[in-house]
Structure formats: C-alpha cells, structure tokens
Amino acid sequence: MPAFLTLLALSALLMHIGQGINPYIPRLLLLGCLYLVVGQAAFQSSSDTSPLWFGLPIAVSMIFLPLIPALALNILLLPIWWWLLTQSGDMEDWKNILTLLLLLALPRWEHLRRQALLFATDPNDSECNAYQSDALKERLRNEYQRSSILGNRLAVLVIHLPQFDMAGEQFGRKAQLTLLETLCNEVNDSCRDHDLLGRASQATFWLVLPDTSESGALLVRERLKHSLSCCVLVETGQLVADIVAYLPRHQEVFHLFIQRLEERSHAIAKSLPET
C-alpha cells in the first residue's frame, strides 16, 4: 500500500509539472495520497504519530485548492480525524486541528475580501482600458454639471462594435477581448487626455468630449472611423464600429440625457433606425 501510494503521488507530481493537463487532477491525486498516507499511519500507530502529520494534509489542501472547496473537503473529513484521534486517546490534537484549519482559512478569506472590495471600488472596466458603467455615468454627470455652470459645450460619442457577438460565437472570448483592447487603444491614442472613454454595455462605449461643439464631435467621429478602419485583426478582419454623436439639448436635465444615450445605445445594438 505505501509503495502504491508513493508511485501514485510521484505520477501526480509529474502530471502537475507537465503541460496540457487539467491542473486540478494531479492536485487531487496528491491530496488523496497524502490523506491516505497520514490516515493509515495514524490508524496503525496512533500513539506514535506526531500531531504535525495531522496538519500537513490540511495545509496542503489550503495551498492546492480554492478556499471554499478546501474548507468543504476538510469539514467533510473532520469526523474521520475525530475517529482517529479517539483511537489514540489524545483529544487535545482535535482542538489543534480545528485551530489550524481556521488559521489557514483566515488569510485566504481576507485575500478574497480585498479582491471583492477592489472590484467593487475600481472605476476601470475589468476587460479593457475604459471606465466601467457606474464610474462612466458618474464622470459624465460631473462633466454635465460643469458644462452647465460654465456654459461650455459637451458632446458624447456612442460607439458600438457590431462584430463583438460574432467574434465570441466563432472565435471565443479571446477574440472579443482583442476587439475591446484594439478599440480602447485606438480611441485613447486619437483623443485628448481629458476625454473620457467608458464601457456602457458589453459592446457599446461612450466617449465623453468636454468643451466640444457639434462640429468638433463630428470631426472626432470621422477621425475615429478612419483610425479604426485601418485596424485589421486576424480573426475578424477590418475593425468595424458604428459611431453616433450626441449633444445635450437646451436646458435638458441629466437623467433625460442619460436616457437618450441608453436608448440610442440599444438602438444601435439592435440595428434600429435613429429616432
């Protein structure tokens, strides 16, 4: 039995080092071998087994597996550890195992909590170099209020990628991310530093142009169309983007302006005529 487990653990280690294999398969094999070896050693010579061996598989599971599967696995195996410890008659190790499990879970839980907090407060989109929807609307609100107070002009370009869904269906998620990255790079390179690019939906972006008149917005639109048409991707070919310029109406409140932008964004996505 020990020789078989040793060979199985060695095979799992080689699989983990090799390429083209699901990483969870060798990890589960290594964990299974480790639990069996420690369990067999504790069962055959429970009085001579060091308490450190009981904590080894718990620590390895916390390293190899995500937090929730690792906790679930160790909680399911707690009755087995309790039974092995009752055979040795030393129940103090039971408290040590529970303490070790909690101590190992705390750093992973704190890391996940910080990641969730960062994701909730990050103004940037997670897939491209643009503002996410909530941050975009907040920045647009600030620019709208500033233009209203100072009497400046404000324009917004609605940019839609009609190739986005097709790229995902035919070439997968990587092609979609390439489309997003190419669009954001071209727009950021072609616009001013204080212009704001945000992702309003999956395939629709808003480019906020402060201090820009209608003629200026149309010039920016033509410049972007020319710049994007020069981009040729391997999967989808020439990059195609539908761009429409929008300006606030006289004394129009902000939520009505946002509503018009959202309606136009949906209309472009569905290839509806402008109303």
Side-chain angles (χ1 to χ4, degrees):
M1 184 67 176
F4 170 74
L5 292 176
T6 302
L7 291 175
L8 188 60
L10 181 60
S11 301
L13 180 61
L14 294 176
M15 291 172 63
H16 181 67
I17 296 175
Q19 301 293 328
I21 300 174
N22 190 328
Y24 284 108
I25 296 177
R27 292 179 185 180
L28 292 176
L29 287 176
L30 284 172
L31 279 175
C33 294
L34 189 58
Y35 275 107
L36 288 175
V37 168
V38 173
Q40 184 184 29
F43 180 74
Q44 291 182 350
S45 56
S46 57
S47 59
D48 300 331
T49 303
S50 173
L52 293 176
W53 287 104
F54 292 105
L56 180 60
I58 298 176
V60 173
S61 66
M62 287 294 180
I63 296 174
F64 278 3
L65 299 178
L67 177 60
I68 301 302
L71 282 176
L73 175 63
N74 285 291
I75 290 174
L76 289 175
L77 293 177
L78 282 179
I80 299 178
W81 292 126
W82 180 81
W83 180 76
L84 290 174
L85 291 173
T86 55
Q87 301 299 313
S88 63
D90 188 3
M91 296 305 295
E92 289 296 326
D93 292 337
W94 173 252
K95 299 178 182 179
N96 296 334
I97 289 177
L98 289 177
T99 303
L100 177 63
L101 181 60
L102 293 175
L103 288 177
L104 290 174
L106 282 177
R108 300 285 298 275
W109 177 82
E110 178 63 18
H111 179 67
L112 291 177
R113 189 188 69 84
R114 289 180 177 271
Q115 278 189 328
L117 181 62
L118 178 62
F119 180 78
T121 57
D122 189 5
N124 298 316
D125 191 85
S126 60
E127 296 180 339
C128 59
N129 186 19
Y131 286 104
Q132 50 101 344
S133 179
D134 293 336
L136 169 64
K137 292 179 181 179
E138 184 63 29
R139 294 297 302 272
L140 178 56
R141 178 190 296 274
N142 295 337
E143 291 296 335
Y144 191 91
Q145 293 175 347
R146 187 179 72 87
S147 64
S148 299
I149 294 174
L150 300 179
N152 296 333
R153 305 300 299 271
L154 176 67
V156 177
L157 296 183
V158 178
I159 307 172
H160 178 69
L161 289 174
Q163 300 168 314
F164 186 79
D165 293 334
M166 178 272 295
E169 294 172 358
Q170 296 186 6
F171 304 104
R173 188 60 179 167
K174 186 177 180 181
Q176 290 181 322
L177 295 177
T178 302
L179 272 175
L180 297 176
E181 180 182 3
T182 304
L183 172 69
C184 292
N185 290 338
E186 288 297 325
V187 172
N188 290 324
D189 291 341
S190 303
C191 296
R192 302 165 297 182
D193 292 339
H194 60 277
D195 294 337
L196 307 174
L197 178 65
R199 190 178 183 185
S201 63
Q202 284 291 318
T204 304
F205 291 79
W206 294 352
L207 178 60
V208 182
L209 303 173
D211 305 324
T212 304
S213 62
E214 182 177 4
S215 60
L218 295 177
L219 288 175
V220 175
R221 183 186 69 174
E222 295 304 318
R223 185 168 68 245
L224 284 179
K225 281 189 173 182
H226 176 72
S227 176
L228 294 174
S229 64
C230 296
C231 299
V232 180
L233 305 180
V234 176
E235 296 88 354
T236 57
Q238 186 182 42
L239 181 59
V240 178
D242 299 325
I243 307 177
V244 179
Y246 261 76
L247 280 77
R249 294 169 179 167
H250 181 62
Q251 293 184 347
E252 183 180 27
V253 295
F254 178 73
H255 78 273
L256 292 179
F257 180 56
I258 285 289
Q259 184 178 352
R260 282 202 300 128
L261 287 175
E262 291 176 343
E263 290 175 353
R264 184 52 188 157
S265 300
H266 294 317
I268 295 177
K270 296 178 180 179
S271 300
L272 297 177
E274 183 177 0
T275 57

